[in-house]
Amino acid sequence: MHNKTVLITGASRGIGRSTAKKFISEGYNVIIICKNDISRMNDLKQLADTNNLICLMYECDVSSYEAVTNIFNDIHAKNINIDIVVNNAGISHVGLLQDMTVEEWNSTINTNLSSVFYICKNVIPGMLKKHNGKIINISSIWGIVGASCEVAYSTTKGGVNLFTKALAKELAPSNIQVNAIACGVIDTDMNSHLSNEDKQNLEAEIPTGRMGTPDEIANIIYDIANSGEYMTGQIITVDGGFI
Ligand code: NAP
């Protein structure tokens, strides 16, 4: 058993939840964050408790700098060092750009992009002290090629991709690696708005003939977290050959 700690945003559902389970099963302490109803992560805490691992749970809106800073104050007060960060929390917004309200635009930008800055700003000083750390950002293929009716979402993920590349260069001399996964279509609540017909049509366009699973992404996140220091600044596309 080792003492490494991973912080995962958006751990209540989908990719974040699978990622938390994977790291717990591999013996990591976890700091897990969601926006609403912390009790939905109780089973993850129980799993960590059973394995004698530390599990801190926070209900925190990561689109708020103040809220993010508050949880880091608590983490620091508990003297916990973070080794790995998975910036996973995100929302999608589907619709024509001209119909999007300014509030919806700001919420998408702040949740998907500014949150990554807020978390990194708080976590980097501790990683610099240890001269060690991994930051893994969960992005999307739409941040590479752009999606119709998802302009704001594509913008945030394109931003996350360049944030990743630029920060990787800035932090490489300090032995902190920064990478992103550009996911294709993954079977989570984020795609629950799709009708069965839409789902089938979409899957027909994916060379593997199906959506990815959250567990598949969690395994890749885990592998990146355990890759060597020469692997940094990469946007790893995991999309079943879609783009
Ligand atoms: P999901 O099932 O909808 O889960 C989203 C998670 O993010 C939930 O835990 C949610 O917490 C959390 N979250 C949302 N807004 C938040 C906020 N303001 N503060 C804190 N937590 C917040 O989504 P998913 O499909 O697993 O997506 C995870 C990541 O993968 C996202 O960044 C998404 O853009 C990316 N991605 C997904 C797909 C896909 O097809 N599913 C494709 C490409 C990229 P609550 O439960 O409290 O709301």
Side-chain angles (χ1 to χ4, degrees):
M1 207 68 85
H2 48 72
N3 300 319
K4 281 198 172 174
T5 301
V6 55
L7 179 147
I8 304 161
T9 66
S12 53
R13 294 183 279 127
I15 294 168
R17 183 181 179 75
S18 285
T19 305
K21 271 194 182 161
K22 172 71 180 169
F23 277 93
I24 293 168
S25 72
E26 298 288 347
Y28 284 71
N29 299 322
V30 290
I31 301 171
I32 47 179
I33 299 168
C34 70
K35 184 178 180 190
N36 309 294
D37 193 1
I38 200 171
S39 68
R40 280 179 305 152
M41 303 192 295
N42 280 348
D43 60 324
L44 294 171
K45 169 118 180 74
Q46 274 166 15
L47 189 62
D49 287 348
T50 310
N51 290 288
N52 292 319
L53 300 166
I54 296 169
C55 175
L56 300 184
M57 298 197 292
Y58 293 100
E59 208 171 280
C60 166
D61 179 354
V62 294
S63 70
S64 155
Y65 179 60
E66 198 188 356
V68 169
T69 302
N70 282 343
I71 65 163
F72 273 90
N73 287 341
D74 190 64
I75 293 165
H76 293 146
K78 292 186 163 75
N79 241 339
I80 289 176
N81 287 314
I82 296 167
D83 301 282
I84 303 157
V85 164
V86 182
N87 282 310
N88 165 77
I91 52 171
S92 69
H93 179 91
V94 179
L96 296 171
L97 183 73
Q98 69 265 27
D99 295 337
M100 190 174 200
T101 65
V102 171
E103 289 72 26
E104 288 167 338
W105 171 269
N106 287 338
S107 166
T108 308
I109 299 289
N110 291 335
T111 304
N112 294 2
L113 180 58
S114 302
S115 67
V116 180
F117 162 56
Y118 301 156
I119 298 274
C120 287
K121 181 173 165 58
N122 275 285
V123 83
I124 288 168
M127 290 181 169
L128 287 174
K129 264 191 209 149
K130 292 186 301 154
H131 202 70
N132 191 275
K134 302 264 185 206
I135 297 170
I136 301 166
N137 299 323
I138 307 308
S139 186
S140 164
I141 52 170
W142 305 134
I144 299 171
V145 296
S148 168
C149 295
E150 292 194 67
V151 174
Y153 181 80
S154 302
T155 303
T156 62
K157 297 302 187 179
V160 166
N161 291 348
L162 280 183
F163 179 101
T164 301
K165 284 181 165 291
L167 187 63
K169 288 178 180 167
E170 191 168 308
L171 294 180
S174 306
N175 192 33
I176 300 166
Q177 290 79 45
V178 191
N179 291 291
I181 300 178
C183 299
V185 190
I186 311 302
D187 195 5
T188 69
D189 291 350
M190 194 169 269
N191 292 309
S192 58
H193 63 280
L194 294 173
S195 67
N196 278 342
E197 194 188 346
D198 286 344
K199 228 172 159 176
Q200 279 168 12
N201 290 338
L202 190 55
E203 286 180 331
E205 287 182 54
I206 303 170
T208 48
R210 65 170 178 86
M211 295 186 184
T213 68
D215 286 352
E216 284 174 309
I217 302 301
N219 288 337
I220 292 163
I221 292 170
Y222 183 80
D223 289 346
I224 294 170
N226 286 284
S227 62
E229 66 185 57
Y230 214 60
M231 162 97 165
T232 195
Q234 300 308 300
I235 314 301
I236 298 128
T237 300
V238 183
D239 69 348
F242 195 13
I243 61 166

